[in-house]
Structures are given as structure tokens and as C-alpha cells.
Amino acid sequence: MSQFTASNIIPDDESDEDIDNTKEVQIEEALKLYQGALKLHALGWSSYKDAFQAYDALFQSEIFRYPESLPYAQQAELWDSEYALTQLADLVDTRATTTGLDGAPSTLPQILYLSYKNYGQFVLDYLKHHLAQHHEEETGQDLGLSTPQKAAANALNSFAEALVKDDTDAELWRRTARVGAALGSGRIARFCLEAVLDVGAGINGDVDPLGLQEALAHEPLTKLLDRLEDHVSRSQSSSTRDRRQVLAPRLRKCLDPYPYLPHSWNDEPPSIRPRASSPAPTRHAIDVPAKTWAAVGKVLLQQLVAQHQGLLDLGAGAGVLLRCADATWEHEPEAAPPPSEAVLPPGSHPPAPAASSGSTMSRGTTEDPAKEVSTGSDVDQLMAEAEAEAEDGRREAAPARNGSPSRKRNLSTAGLQEGNDGGRVRSKRIRARESVVDPTQGEDRTGTDLARQYDEQTQVYMEADGWLFQVVNTMLALVGGDPIGSVEELKQSRSERGAPPDVAVTDLYTMVSEWSDDKLHLVLHGGILAFPASTEPSRSRPHSSRKAGLTAFLEHSKRSMHRHSTKPLLSGDEGLDALAREVNHEWLSIKAAATRWLHALFSRRPNIFPGASEPSYLCHVWPDALKEVVVQMLVVLDEHLYEAMRKESLAFQSEALTSGDDVDVEVIEFVETVFELHLDVLERINNPSSEVDVVTRLAQQDRLDRWATLIEDLMSLRCPRPDEVEDALDLRFLWASVSHATLSVNVSREHIMLCVTDVAQIIRTAGDAVIELPNNAAMPEVSSAAAEKVLTGLSTVDFYLRIFQPEEVDPWLVIETLEPVLNPPKMRSSSRASSPSLPSISPSRGASSDGSRQTEAMTNFLQGGSTSLRLFMWTTLEEAYDSIGYPPQVLTCLLRSIEIIMGELQSPAHIELPPLQRQASLATWLHTMDGMMTQALSIGLDEPSAMDCMDETLLAASLGTVAALARLLHTYSLFDDAVRIEQVALPRRAEERSPTSYGRVSARFRDMQLRAWTLLYVLCKEGVAQHRDCVRTENDHLLEYLRAVHQVTGLRGCCQASNKVLLQLMKRELLQASAGSGWEADLVQVLFDLHGLRLGSQQHGLQEHGCTPSALDRATAVQIMDFVMMLVKRVELKDLPKTEYKAAMEKMQQAIGAPKQTSAMLHNMRNFAAFSKAAIHPTQLYQCLRGQCQLSAVPVPAESAAIAEKGWYVLLGQMSLVRFRSQKRVSQGPADDLDLASYFFRLDLQYSMDRWETWYRQAQVYDSRIDDDVMWSADTLNTDLAELHTLQRNAIHCYTMAVSTAVRMADASPATARELAQLYSDFGTRIYASSRPPFSMGAYSVADFPRHFSGTTSMYQKPAHPALSEFQAWRFASVLFQQALEGRAESWKDHYMLGKCLWKMYRHWKLTQPTSSSVLVQIGDVLHVLIRAIETIPERRSERQEPILEPHYKLVSVIHKLVKSWQLEPFEAISLLEATPYSSKVPSTEDRGEWDAYVLQILKVLRSADKSNWHHRMTARAAHIIYDGARDDTAAAASAKHELSQQIFTKTMAVQVWKPEHERAGRHFVYTSAYVSFFTRLLALLDDRASMEALAKRVRKKPSDFFQHEQLWERVCQAYLQMLRRAGQIPESHEPLVFKAVLHDDFQKHAARLESWCYLPTTSSPVLDVLRDVVELKKLNSGLLLVFIFDELAADAYARLYETVVPTLMLEGDGEDAPVVPKKEERHDPMSVSSLLMSPDGPSERPLTASDGAAPGGAKGRIKMVSRREVLRKAEMAVARPVPTVPVPSKSARTTEAPRVATPTQPSMAEAMEELPPPREESKDEAGPMEVQASSELGSLHDSADDESGDAESDDEAHPPNLLFPNLGVASTSRLSPTEEGS
């Protein structure tokens, strides 16, 4: 019968090999294709077309798509390069995949190898036939091999792929060499021929003698080397081979494997074809992506790089045409040829794809967006980028040359503009953001309505912000800080209307609103500021900080006072149109166009910049992107420009010598500008913080020196001016020359100072002019003030070099030197006075007058110093303090640095900057302050002494600074709110170009904001501590501040920013707050945001703040344990598993983990285990009631037992136990909760043995396990009762310790009293339950616990103490229930159990001491307790609630037994029964004779009250009352059966006994077995075979429903067999009497007749029916019982059948209808079977003689008799076949229609003995189909049991599986026939 299997379920028996066979199948399919193609290939030219298609199908199969099947290059393209490099070599080892085809390749590489090799051969065969037959038009186009060159190239590729798979095929190497030679490639031919010779080389390079393939390759290689004139290789090849090895003439024919191919080995190389005529010059169109100077320069630069790398070949004389979509620049000359596409190398691509389809070359791939337009990007990196431009271009072009598809990029990453479709390809989400107004609002919605809508959406954020600002202002007012205003003022400060706007707030809002990639770079990585904004601690970065500080000092000392340039910023397209038209008008090459572009910026060009009297270099501020391109262009065109300018210089020199004319100023100005820019670049890359390599520096130094020489030559050619007054160009040259000298190593500082002094004097002489160079960082200003600044810096350079030197500096010297400079004396003294822990500085360090002068000079120098320099001075001081390990001063330096930056943002110099530069500066400073805040927070939160140096002045300044910073950063939150409600759309550039990068910036702003608010809290906490006398409730103010910040950040989903620093701080502060202070809800929310712990309830609602839970560590779990337990204790224990506390506690325990087992814990655990396994001592049970039971334990250290002391393990165990007990189950399930609970309880006991509640809960775990094992099935009771006894002993021991410990240590609270009452009740129930079936005192047995004792003569074993008796157990249980009633007197169950104990004690005393006058238990006490139990039953809350009937039934049962035992009179009993309301409905009687009827009526009323029929004992009691009144009476038995059939037994004998709610677990199995035993007696008495048979089936099929199932089955079988024996009137032991004198041969013959008679459809016999039932019962037994009892009745039944039927068959065989059989001469033998059966006098009494048993011929043998085994086998065969269901004919019909059995003439006994075969030689053919050779004359019982399995199988095949007794219907019919019934 097939079974349904769900498609989503994988059977366990299915192996992976049955599922994952896809690869093997695909390989087999490819093999079939390969063999088919090979066969078609072998058929010749007529099948070539089909063969080509077959090969094509082969290469399209799946195996050629495997990663390991692809070439290595494609594998590297498919995967990431790093992964390919590490995994490529491993693929070779994983290619083998076995197949199951004989004669085919067995590995995947072989399949690939042969496929490529044979396909290449197929192509060459096709080419051979094609060349011979000239069928080009016929089939050449069909196969795609139109030309011989294409066919040879195809074959070469196939051979190459085959060699990749297997490079050991020397013949294939030769073939490949030949094909390469045919294609004209001598390199391929030489490589392949040398590969053939390399195959024969050994490991060490030794060469073996030439093989056949090597010899065939050696001669062609020699000729090839001679033709190439490679004499070195020729000599090596000749010397390594044996010259005597000469090819035979026949082998020479094999030298050329493909003689039909051109260019054989002996052919001369083809002559070089003449070059084609050069094409006419073309015009190369270049598309510019944007109309800016930087974009034009970058595109020209990329074209130059591509042309330099050989990726771009424009041809000779090609011109350039600039085009831009935003402008009209086309101005082509009349005679110019039309623009044409550029010619690129085959297989290559230009460096960047074109933006439009009309050009072949556009701007190159843009650089990193952070480098493209980064404001103030480091110029020292530009040189390295320019030098590595060629290498970058090759890397960009490599994927194009390989032809592999590149990965998908968006337009912004590739640097391309959107198409003309207006962004149609962008996603709907991005395009939808372009519309600010929601379209659903309608077109008539006014601005006021939108504003109102936005205000409503942001109301929740504004309320939270308002609360935060109010709390912060209140806190600042308390600690002396400046308020930060309101959130409304912050919103208005970024607007230009109303109050004057806050420049920093406005810049920040504008910066995030108008996003660009340069801002992204600045916020994330900082800008050109020398200060390293690193988040690392200062101790880990001293070297880099000193280098940066030295850089800042050198810049400040070399440059003038840097004034922000007042020059206008060069706009993107100013003058660009004129330059583009000029380039397009002329025919310029790329170099010429690039040079023209530089001239436009460096020289005076009125046509390009109208109205400008100076070059753009002097009159405009270039964007950083433009300056970057200019520097790169100078590097790339350096040789070209230098040669051009040098020629100009030489021409000027010749003209000056001849005519004396002045040099062209434009040329000098151009060279001077180039010189200054190279000077700027060199100074940048020589910066101490620069990481440019030495080679690049030397190259740049060489360029600078060359241009310096060139400008000197040009300046020397200038004519002298009147009055010797220097002009601006002269001053620039002098200043640049001095700056050049400062960069030289060989120039002394004194010489430089003299030069600077002279330059300053010259500038003053020239009118103290000020020349501003806005685009040169090395010399931004030429003036006398700048010269004085340089002199001051040079005079103090030693001092700075000593401080900023790279090697380690004495931190004490730095502190002593810098503190007087950075801190005023008053502040320094106050700081030291407030920090007594600061180590004192030795007065001998640097106390000279020279040091004082240096300090004064340094102070003067820093007064006009830049912000960067001052920051680095503070950073140096910070590093010094950090190196000596003094965190308070480190924090002070960090706060001072933040104060300097915030002052810079409010300075006039910063405000006067252009908006773009101001925003860039703001972004850079924010990045710097972010790193400082990170370090300050790390110190302020982790160091206890962080605030030791925080005096009142510094604290007030720091509070104002950090508060202003937090207010500034809160601007981003306002912008984020507007974006969230779609009031403001994200900038298109930020959204489309780098959405992930914008997300990074957003995260960075949130991190900075959280750090600012947190740092402000740290400062406020210190301020509250310093003003503690003014602040009364400091804790409330601080917690209110944290709560407000958490609310503001949580609503915006950013409270987890900055590594959850705010949440960590709140957790620490709130846990330290006093319990019940009102901050529990905030702590619950913090734990949810921090670790995902859901501790919320209706009282503590949780809000989703979008936090990612972090892993909970052990320290945190222990830290919050007290708080969690405080919340959990408010919940009832039974409801705990249903709450969210369960998951939180499990997560905490997972973080805590298992404790480390100490020696003390292990000792305690061993004691516990030994105590649990010990026998139950009766004395200990009574000692525990006095608290005298103790278990020795070793105390565990307090630090290890801290968790257990809090009760954590007990709480976890209780939660697991309650979870298990609260589950509503209908079948037995896993007990994992019990195991977990037991683990936690035992873990708690390891720490302390004096916790009574832990002992109690552990006992409950054992009780629950026992109940679970016996609740659902009786299997454990029947098979593993010893394990249940062990669990009971464990539970009793734990109860003993719980009671003893509670007596000593329990408190007197009402809750404890209730718990103790429950403890006594559970203990008493366990004691009583262990004494009753199904356990039956097994737990109290001491037989398994013997001890060795020393006797008088020897050692002996006996139990150490007597076992607890039943009476003792009941008495002890009664004491426990009495103790429980003291704590809860209204517990009906305790009264009920106490009554049962007293009743058992009373009955036991009466049975054991019937004559004793003293009675320990009075019957009145028993009845009183039971009546009290009825009185304490709680009232039913509704009619649907089931009534409690146990006390009522127990009272009726006890009183009935007392009345029947004449211990109580009926009238007394009736008065007692009035206690139960169910007796009031029954009329009372005082007649003892009517007592049974009276009790039956009460039981009927009780049964009627049980609506759901759960209670079964009333029915059983009624049946016993009916039957016990008239035992062995058929009528009483029938009545009792009827009573039981009403509820317990159904018509199909299904037993309906369930466990009532208040019944002990396992008892219903005991009752079920008892009911079945009683019912079996009733059926046997009533002789009800049908019911007995059905009952037997039920009992055998349901072993798990009956207690002691095997014994019950034996009783049922015995009763059933006795019933069958009576039904068939079969005497016992009848089989030996019948067959003891029957010979074996006679038995076989007559048994065959009897078997045929049994198979007749008309056969009917009660004995045969009995035999069938016995055989079926034996099969049903299935080996559970020994088959002897079944075989006994089966043998007797067959003997009875043999005895009664065989004579009849013999008589019928003599009739006329008998078939004709050949007859022998009849001899009457009185000892024959027929004589024995037919003779009325029985067999002859003559004893057998020797002559009677002699065999013919004088052979002696023994007489073989009939054995029990043969009888049983024949009996089973007689009932083996099914009886057809045909109508039973009448008796007369049976007589006439029954076939007669012919009885052959029986031989005499002597003849029979003679015919017997010799012993142990009996043929198997003589036996029936089911006979087996018997090993003994009488088979054993085990043999019979072994034989029944085969019979059962054959019977199962003959009958349907649903009919266990298939002959039951026929047998019943025969028994119930009128004839039988009347007999």
C-alpha cells in the first residue's frame, strides 16, 4: 500500500547520493554526444555537416559551463581576482568526475581534452577536403569556415584548449606547431616544438634519449632556429641530443602531420607585405562631460595618457575637436576633412566609454570622486598620481583587451552623464523623490497647508527637541554654563530672514542640503589640514602627530600671514567658450590643445578673459579639481613644455645678442608660473607627513631644478629697468628663488635668512608691494610681512625641531616648554593647584635664560599663528601627558583643542571665506573634532580621575564649547527630519551618485551628535559635583538629561550611534540609581535598545528605536541581574513562561554560561549524587520532621557563588519546571524542560545545601518525570520499573532534605507557610503513591543495597537497615498530610489523602492484628476525615466545571466495606452517608439485605454526576457488588458484564478507562488490568467465545494500555483456551492416546485425507473450528508467551479430529464412487490402522515380536512413530487454507455430494516396518510443503515457537490484513446453528 509523502519533507532514509547526481548525468549525456560526433566524423565528407552540428551540440552541453571547464583567464574574470588567485590552483585537483561508461573517458578533464582535440582535427579534415574538392560555395558557409585562415585559426584554438586540459600529449604539441606555422606564426611553432622536447626532460634537467615524438620535433625545430639565426639555442639543442640519431626515410614522411597546409617546415617565411598607404589626417572629436575648465583639462589629460600607452592611435596629423552637450563649440575650418573615428588596437577599448554615440573617445574614467573635486586635497598626492597615470591606464584597459564583460556600474561611478531620456533609467523611488509635493494632495494645496502638514508631522520631534533644549539650559544654568537657546531659535538661525543667521549652522544645513562628493570626502576623511583627525589614542600615534606638527610649523614659518584670498573664484565656464572655439578653429593635435589650455591659464589672454590685466593664475582662485588637473598636465607634458620653452630661450638669447631686444614677458611669465607650481608640488611632497616615495621626489626635484635654470636664463636676458626698481615679476622670481633655496639640503639656514632679509628689503624699496598668489600654497603671498614671518620662524626652528623631531622626546621637557606658551601663568598655577596628583617637574630642566627667550619668541610667533599650528601644539602637549600616563591633562588638552576649533568657526577670517570654502572648512573641522570627542569620551567615561584638573574656569569654557557644538550638530537632525517627512528631497547628486556613501556620512553625523551630547553629560556631571551645595537633586537632573537625549535620538532611530555610547552610559547610570526611583521604564527601554531584551509589560511600554541588538556579555548579564529579578518577582510564577521575561532570562543565561566547576562544587555534587542513590532509611524520614537531616557540603567562595546567592539558578529552574507543568499535552513528549530545571537546581545545590526551596523544586522535577513516564503509556511500568523506583528514591530524598532544611531555616511569613504546606502535601503524596500499585513499595526496597558485615566465622552481606513497611509508609504519609493541614486547613485533597492513609492503616491493622484490642486508628477518625474532605470541596464556579467526586466515592466505598464486614450497621452507615449530597436522592433503607441495592443506587447517582465519563471506579464497584453477592452465578455474571459494558467495555471490547483529573498518574493502567482480569472471568463463566476473542485481540494489540501486560495476557489466554477446550469437548492430554500406536506412514496417508477433508467447502466441525481458533490465537501471541499451552490444545484438537473423521473417510473410501486405484493383493493385518480403528475390540493384545518388525531381506530397522511436531504441523496445515464463503448444504446434500476418499489397502505392520527408510535418510520430497526435518522425535517448545513465524506469514498472505481471525465467522455460524444449539 503506497503512502503519501509530502513534497516539502525529505525522508531520512534518502541519502545524498540519491539526490545529488546531476553532474554525473550531465557527464554521461556529454559522453553520448561526444561518441555520436566521433562516429559522424569517421563517416567522411558526406556526414561532415551532421558532425559539425553534433560537435556544436557537444560544446553547448552543461559540462563546458562548469567553472572548472572554463579557461583560467575566464575563471579569473568570473570570480573576484583575490578569490581567483587563491582558488585557481585548487580547481585542477577537483576536475576528476568518474563515469560509468565502458570505453569512454573516465574524468571530466579527459572529456574536455578529447572533445577539443577531435574537434580541431575535424576542422583540419574539413579543410583538407575543402582544399582538395574546392567546395567553398557548397558547404563552406554552412560550417562557418569560409576561409582557410579562419579554419586554421579555429583548429589552433581547439588544440590550445585541449593542451590546457592535458599538456603531456607530445603529438598534439607537434600538430599545434604545424597549424601555427601554417598561420605564419613562427613564435607559436617554436614554442610548441620546444614543448615536445621538454616532455622528455627529467626533473633535474637531464635529457633522455630521443623518443619518436621528440625525434620528429627535433629536426623541424632545428630548421626553425637556423632560419631565425638563433645560434645559442641551436647549439644547446644540438649539444643535448645525440647527433647519431637520424630519422629513417620512412619516418621522414611523418615529419609534417598536415602536408596540405601552407608554410611547411622547409618553407621560407613569408615576405613582409608592404604597408598600406597612410590615411589622410582626421579630426578626432572629444566629448567633454561638463562645461568646466577642469573637465576640459581632464579629458585632454586622459587622451594624452591613452595615446602614450598605445591605446589610442589617431594617425599622423590628426586634429582635435572639442564638443560639449551644454555648449556650441563646433567651428570647423573649411578645408578640414570630416571628423572620423579613431582607430584603436584590435580587441582594446578606449580608457573610458563615450557619453554619446557620435564619438569613439570621450573623457576617461573619472578618478575617485573623493579625489576629483575634493576641497583642499593634498597636492603631494598629485605627483604620485601623475607618475602612476600610465600604470592606471593599463589597469583600466586590461579588462577591455581581455574582452570580458565588465561589472555593472551606475552612471555616477563611471563618471558619465545621464542620457537624453532625462533619467528614465533611474528607479521609480529615486525619480519620485524629485517631486517635493505629494501628488495626492492636489494641485490646489497652498503653501500654508503644506507647512501645516509638515509641522504636524514633525510635532513629535519638535516636542522632544524642545524638552531636550529646556533640560540642557536648566542644567547649564545650574553648573555655570552658557545656555544654547531653544530649538525654534536654532531653526531660525539658519534662515536669512529675521535675526542674523548663525554662519556655522547655515553652512552645515546648506552643506547637507546641497550635497557633493568633496563634502563626503571631507566629512569622512578630513581635508588638507595638517592636524591628524584620528580617533586613535594619542599614545598610539606620537610619530605621525609630530610629523604633522612639524609640517604645520614649517608652513607657518615659511609662508606669510595667510590671508584668505579676495580674488574671485574661477567659475566653471568663464572664458572656456573662447578657448574651445579657438581650439576647434585651428587644427591642433592633442599636445597642442593641452598646451593651449595651459597657456590660457598661465598667460595674459584678453580674448579669453576680457578685462583681466593679469593671468588667471593671479586673478582667479582655481577650484581644487582644476589645480589637480593643472599639476597632472604639467607632469605629463613636462618634456614637451620644457623643450618648447628651452627653444624659446635659445631664440631669445640669439636675438638679444644680435638686436638687444627685451625678452617676451609672456614667455617669462609662463615659465615663472610653471616654476612656482613645481615648487609648490615639491614642497608638498617633501612635507614630513607626505608618503610619496623617494623616486617621485627625486623626479620632481629634477623637474624643479631644470625649470629653475630655465627661468634664471630668461630673467638674465631681461633689459634693466629705470631706477633699478623691481616689478612684480622680479619680486616673484626672487621669492621663488629663496623658496627654492630653502628646499635644498646644501644651503645653510644663515644663508637663507640673509636671502630673506634681502628680499624683504627689496620689497620695501619697491613700495612695500603685496603680491597675492591665490593658487600656490608654497608662496601664497609675496610681501615684507611674509618675509618677517619667515625670519621669525627660521629663528625659532631649532626650538620647534627639538619638540617635533620624529624620535622620542622627553615628555617632561615638552610639558615644561609648552605649558608656558599655551597656558597663561595664572591658569597654569591654578591647574596645578587643582591637580595635586600631577608629578612635579624638576626645576633643573630647561631653566636657563635662553629657554625663556625662546619661550617668549615662541609665544609671539604663535600669536599670529594658524589654527592648525595651535592645534598641533596642544596635540603635542597632549601626547606628552599621555606618555607619562596622566589622563586628566590629556582631557584638558582635548577640550582646549575643541575650544580652539569652535572659536575658529566663529572668527571673522572664517566668516569672510566664500561659502564653498567655508563649508569645506566646516566639514574638515567637524571631522577633526569628532576624533577629539572620541578620545575625550574614552577618558571621561573610563578613567575615574579624568576630572582632577577640571577647574571652574576650564569647566565653564568647556561646557559652553561642547554645548555649542551639540547645538550645531543638531542642525543635521532638523535636516534629517525634513527629509524623513519628504519636506526636503535628498540632493540628486547625493542620492544617485553615491547613496551608500551618503548613508555613511549620515551615520557619521549621528555619531558626532551622540558623542557631543554624551560629552556634555560628562561635563555636566562634573559641574554638578562641583556645585553640589547649590544642586539639591543632582541625580534627578542628570537622569532627566539622559532621558531627554535618549528620547530625541530614539525617535530618530539613532540612539545606537557611536557604538551605542549613550545606551552604555545610560545603562551604567540607571543601574546605579536607587531602586524604585521612577527610572525603571527608561532602563527597560535602554536594555531593549542595547541588547534586545524585552522586559516591557503594560507598565513599561517599549518603543522601537531601530537599534541592532548587540551581544550580551557575562559582565552585563550579571550587572542587570538584580534589576531583572526585581521585575520578575512581580509576576506570578505560573505566568512567567508566558511573558517576555522568559526569552530575556534565557538570553542572559546564555551570556552567563556554565560556571567553572571548582573542587568545592565537585565535592558537593558527589555528595548529592551519593545521597540521591542511597536507600531510604526509615529513621531519616522521621528525623527530617525535626530538622535533623543534613548533608555535608564544602562552602564555595563568595565570588563564585554570587549568582547563586541572588537566586538566579533557582528562578531559571522554576521557570523551566512551570513551563513543563503548564503544557497541555495529549501524548508523551520531550522532557527537555525537566532536564534543564534539574540542571539549574543541582547547580544551585552545588553552591549551598541549605536552601529548602531548591530541594523542594528538585523533588518536584523528579515527581514530574515520574508522572510523565507513567501518564501516557504503561511501557515504562512494564519494562523499566527499576528506573521509576530510582526516580522515586531521588524524589523522596529531596523531599526529606527540603523538609529538614525548612524546619531549620524557613521564615514565618504567610507565603512561606503556604509553600511549606504544599511541600508536606507533595511529600505525603509521593510516600503514599510509592507504596501502592503500580510501584508497590519498590522504592523502599533495600535488596539492592547490601552491606558487608563481619560475622563470627566469615564476612556476610545483608541490608544495613530494614526496609520501610507499608504500614510505616502510610503512617508517615498521614503525619505529613496532618502537617500540611496545619498550613491550609481547607484543602480537600489533603483531607482526602489523609483519609486514604488512615483507611489503609486501619485495614492493615485489622488484617495483621485481628485479635488485638488496641487499635492505632479508629474507624471514626477515618470517616471524619473523609467527611471533612467532602465539606472542604470548593463550590463549582459554573455548571460546565466538572465536579470533584473522589471524596464522595471514597466515603461510599469505605462505608460499604464496613457494612459488608459487619463493622457498621446499615442505619449508622446511612447517617454517615448523609454527608454526601448524592445520597439524598436515594431512599434509605435499614435492611441489610437491601443494602447492596441502596449502594448501587448511590453509585448510579455518582456516575450520573460524571457527565464526561472520566470516573470509572463507580462502574467497577457496582459490577463487583453485583457479582460478589452471587459469585459463580451465571445470572450475576451476566449482570456484572452488562454493568461493565455500559461504560468501560464496548461491544468491540475496547477498554475505555482514562485518568481523572485528581487521580495519581499510572493508577488507571492498574485499574485497566484489574478490570480486564475481572471481565475475563465473567466471559469465561458465561462461555462467551466471541467477546473473549475480541478481548484477546484488544489486550494483545495494546500492550501499552495495561499494567503487567504479559501476566494479563497469560490469564486471558488460559481462560480462552479452557473455553475452547470445553466448546470442542476435547479431553486433556488426548494426543498421546491417539497417536502412540500409529505408524508414521499410516499417519501421513490419513493426514493427507484429513487435510483434504478440511479443505472442503462443505466441511463443518466444532473441533475443526476450535483448531482454527487455537492456531489463530497462537499467531496472535507472536512469541510473547511460550507456545506450549497453545500447542497442547492444538495437538489434542487435531487428535480428536483425527480420531473422529479418519474412520469415516476410510469407510467412505470403499464406496462405489471411490476413484479406481490399482490394488495389490489384500492381506488382512490385524495390526493395520484400519483394523485398529474399525475393530470394536481394539488392537490385539499380542506383543510385537522381532519377526514383526523385520524388514524384507533381513534388514533391521526401528519403527518410526508420530511425533508431536508432526501432529502440530499437520494441524496447522489443516487450517492453513481459507474457507470459501459458500452456502452450507443440508446434511443429505453433504452426504451425497461429498467426495469419497479412496483408502488403499493397508499393509501389515511387518510390511510397514520393511518399507520404512533407513534412519536419517528420509527424503524431503516425502514430507509436505510445510514440513521440515525434525531434529528429535518430540520437538521442543522453542522449536514450536520458531515454527510459528512461518505460519503467521503464510496466513497473512492468505487472508486480508484486517481479519486477524478469518475463521471466526464460520466457526461462530457452525456453533450457532440450530442443530448445534439444540444438542
Side-chain angles (χ1 to χ4, degrees), residues 933-975:
M933 286 191 296
T934 303
Q935 298 181 54
L937 272 179
S938 178
I939 297 174
L941 295 177
D942 299 337
E943 296 293 339
S945 60
M947 299 296 175
D948 289 352
C949 297
M950 190 67 62
D951 58 353
E952 185 176 355
T953 304
L954 178 60
L955 178 62
S958 300
L959 282 171
T961 300
V962 177
L965 177 59
R967 177 180 179 272
L968 172 63
L969 293 173
H970 195 74
T971 306
Y972 179 79
S973 296
L974 301 180
F975 170 76

Side-chain angles (χ1 to χ4, degrees), residues 1056-1120:
Q1056 65 172 348
S1058 187
N1059 293 328
K1060 301 183 179 181
V1061 61
L1062 175 65
L1063 298 176
Q1064 295 285 357
L1065 176 62
M1066 289 189 67
K1067 180 187 69 174
R1068 186 181 68 181
E1069 298 295 326
L1070 292 175
L1071 286 175
Q1072 293 177 357
S1074 59
S1077 58
W1079 308 105
E1080 295 178 3
D1082 298 286
L1083 183 56
V1084 167
Q1085 182 67 45
V1086 167
L1087 294 178
F1088 174 69
D1089 294 342
L1090 195 58
H1091 303 293
L1093 298 179
R1094 290 186 173 272
L1095 302 174
S1097 59
Q1098 295 181 356
Q1099 183 180 0
H1100 306 136
L1102 294 177
Q1103 299 179 2
E1104 188 63 45
H1105 290 167
C1107 299
T1108 303
S1110 58
L1112 186 66
D1113 57 346
R1114 175 182 172 85
T1116 304
V1118 175
Q1119 188 180 9
I1120 65 175

Side-chain angles (χ1 to χ4, degrees), residues 1647-1774:
R1649 292 181 178 181
L1650 181 60
E1651 182 179 348
S1652 301
W1653 177 83
C1654 293
Y1655 291 162
L1656 293 176
T1658 58
T1659 301
S1660 177
S1661 172
V1663 180
L1664 183 60
D1665 295 338
V1666 170
L1667 180 59
R1668 290 193 180 100
D1669 291 345
V1670 173
V1671 173
E1672 295 295 336
L1673 185 61
K1674 180 181 177 181
K1675 294 179 181 179
L1676 182 64
N1677 178 64
S1678 298
L1680 181 60
L1681 299 178
L1682 295 179
V1683 297
F1684 178 80
I1685 58 175
F1686 307 102
D1687 293 345
E1688 186 73 21
L1689 181 56
D1692 291 344
Y1694 187 77
R1696 181 62 178 166
L1697 193 66
Y1698 189 93
E1699 179 185 22
T1700 57
V1701 177
V1702 169
T1704 306
L1705 295 177
M1706 295 177 62
L1707 291 176
E1708 293 178 356
D1710 296 335
E1712 298 177 354
D1713 297 333
V1716 179
V1717 241
K1719 297 183 179 180
K1720 294 183 180 181
E1721 184 180 357
E1722 296 185 1
R1723 293 185 303 172
H1724 179 70
D1725 187 359
M1727 292 303 295
S1728 64
V1729 177
S1730 59
S1731 299
L1732 292 174
L1733 293 177
M1734 300 301 296
S1735 175
D1737 297 334
S1740 174
E1741 298 295 334
R1742 182 177 66 86
L1744 294 174
T1745 63
S1747 60
D1748 296 332
K1756 295 183 179 181
R1758 65 180 181 85
I1759 301 174
K1760 186 174 182 181
M1761 308 303 291
V1762 181
S1763 65
R1764 167 68 67 85
R1765 180 184 295 273
E1766 293 172 335
V1767 173
L1768 293 175
R1769 187 176 296 111
K1770 292 299 182 181
E1772 293 176 356
M1773 292 176 62

Side-chain angles (χ1 to χ4, degrees), residues 1765-1788:
R1765 180 184 295 273
E1766 293 172 335
V1767 173
L1768 293 175
R1769 187 176 296 111
K1770 292 299 182 181
E1772 293 176 356
M1773 292 176 62
V1775 296
R1777 293 185 181 178
V1779 179
T1781 56
V1782 297
V1784 179
S1786 62
K1787 188 173 184 179
S1788 60

Side-chain angles (χ1 to χ4, degrees), residues 1428-1447:
R1428 182 58 181 161
I1430 296 175
E1431 294 174 352
T1432 54
I1433 293 176
E1435 296 182 0
R1436 298 167 61 184
R1437 293 187 295 270
S1438 64
E1439 294 295 332
R1440 300 177 60 183
Q1441 185 180 3
E1442 295 293 334
I1444 299 175
L1445 301 178
E1446 283 82 0

Side-chain angles (χ1 to χ4, degrees), residues 1036-1284:
D1036 292 343
H1037 285 291
L1038 293 174
L1039 294 180
E1040 186 74 13
Y1041 173 84
L1042 290 177
R1043 184 180 180 185
V1045 175
H1046 187 207
Q1047 180 69 11
V1048 169
T1049 56
L1051 287 176
R1052 295 178 170 90
C1054 59
C1055 59
Q1056 65 172 348
S1058 187
N1059 293 328
K1060 301 183 179 181
V1061 61
L1062 175 65
L1063 298 176
Q1064 295 285 357
L1065 176 62
M1066 289 189 67
K1067 180 187 69 174
R1068 186 181 68 181
E1069 298 295 326
L1070 292 175
L1071 286 175
Q1072 293 177 357
S1074 59
S1077 58
W1079 308 105
E1080 295 178 3
D1082 298 286
L1083 183 56
V1084 167
Q1085 182 67 45
V1086 167
L1087 294 178
F1088 174 69
D1089 294 342
L1090 195 58
H1091 303 293
L1093 298 179
R1094 290 186 173 272
L1095 302 174
S1097 59
Q1098 295 181 356
Q1099 183 180 0
H1100 306 136
L1102 294 177
Q1103 299 179 2
E1104 188 63 45
H1105 290 167
C1107 299
T1108 303
S1110 58
L1112 186 66
D1113 57 346
R1114 175 182 172 85
T1116 304
V1118 175
Q1119 188 180 9
I1120 65 175
M1121 186 178 295
D1122 293 333
F1123 175 72
V1124 174
M1125 293 186 66
M1126 179 187 68
L1127 298 178
V1128 169
K1129 289 181 180 179
R1130 300 174 183 175
V1131 183
E1132 294 187 12
L1133 192 59
K1134 62 182 181 64
D1135 299 330
L1136 183 59
K1138 305 175 186 178
T1139 62
E1140 295 178 341
Y1141 296 124
K1142 169 182 169 294
M1145 295 173 64
E1146 290 177 350
K1147 190 173 183 180
M1148 291 173 59
Q1149 177 57 30
Q1150 184 179 4
I1152 294 173
K1156 183 179 180 181
Q1157 295 291 325
T1158 61
S1159 58
M1161 296 172 62
L1162 293 175
H1163 175 81
N1164 296 341
M1165 195 62 208
R1166 286 194 297 267
N1167 287 353
F1168 172 79
F1171 175 72
S1172 300
K1173 296 178 181 178
I1176 298 175
H1177 201 298
T1179 306
Q1180 288 183 350
L1181 296 179
Y1182 289 95
Q1183 286 177 348
C1184 75
L1185 297 177
R1186 297 188 294 271
Q1188 297 176 354
C1189 289
Q1190 294 184 5
L1191 193 62
S1192 62
V1194 178
V1196 180
E1199 58 273 9
S1200 301
I1203 299 177
E1205 289 292 340
K1206 298 178 180 180
W1208 176 252
Y1209 297 128
V1210 178
L1211 184 60
L1212 290 177
Q1214 287 180 339
M1215 183 177 66
S1216 300
L1217 179 60
V1218 169
R1219 183 168 61 244
F1220 177 82
R1221 288 188 163 188
S1222 61
Q1223 292 177 357
K1224 293 183 179 180
R1225 297 180 296 170
V1226 295
S1227 62
Q1228 188 174 5
D1232 298 339
D1233 289 333
L1234 290 180
D1235 296 336
L1236 190 60
S1238 179
Y1239 166 76
F1240 286 122
F1241 292 141
R1242 284 186 278 111
L1243 190 61
D1244 188 74
L1245 291 175
Q1246 285 182 338
Y1247 290 101
S1248 176
M1249 298 284 187
D1250 295 334
R1251 299 189 181 101
W1252 68 270
E1253 190 174 4
T1254 307
W1255 286 105
Y1256 176 36
R1257 303 306 177 190
Q1258 181 64 35
Q1260 286 184 330
V1261 170
Y1262 289 129
D1263 271 349
S1264 299
R1265 189 179 296 277
I1266 295 170
D1267 293 346
D1268 186 66
D1269 289 341
V1270 302
M1271 176 77 72
W1272 313 104
S1273 173
D1275 291 338
T1276 307
L1277 293 172
N1278 296 330
T1279 59
D1280 201 4
L1281 193 58
E1283 179 65 24
L1284 294 176

